[in-house]
Amino acid sequence: ISSSINERIEELIAEVVDVPNTAVITQLDIRRYLRAVIEKKHPNIAVLSFQELEGLVEFNNLGVVDV
C-alpha cells in the first residue's frame, strides 16, 4: 500500500476509532489485504466487504479512500 493510501486510512480511522461497532467496508477482492494493514494498529476494527453486508445492515459512509 502506498504511503498516501495508508495515511488516508489512518486519517479516517482516527475520526472513528472510539466509536463502538466501527468497521471498514471495502471491495471483496482487497478485503484480505486491507485487513492485514488495519489490524496491525487497530485490531478491534472489523474489515468487511460490501458483499458480506448486502441487505443485512445499514451503514454511514464516513469517508472514501481512492486509489
Side-chain angles (χ1 to χ4, degrees):
I1 285 187
S2 75
S3 62
S4 63
I5 294 171
N6 200 16
E7 288 172 11
R8 181 66 178 136
I9 290 169
E10 286 298 321
E11 287 173 10
L12 290 171
I13 289 175
E15 294 177 20
V16 298
V17 73
D18 294 326
V19 176
N21 302 316
T22 298
V24 173
I25 315 301
T26 188
Q27 296 297 322
L28 183 62
D29 56 342
I30 66 166
R31 177 189 176 276
R32 174 178 20 166
Y33 305 107
L34 189 56
R35 177 165 174 70
V37 170
I38 291 174
E39 74 181 354
K40 290 177 185 176
K41 291 185 179 179
H42 309 284
N44 295 327
I45 294 182
V47 179
L48 305 168
S49 70
F50 289 104
Q51 293 83 351
E52 292 174 289
L53 299 175
E54 191 173 320
L56 297 176
V57 296
E58 291 184 30
F59 55 91
N60 295 322
N61 182 343
L62 300 177
V64 175
V65 177
D66 291 320
V67 179

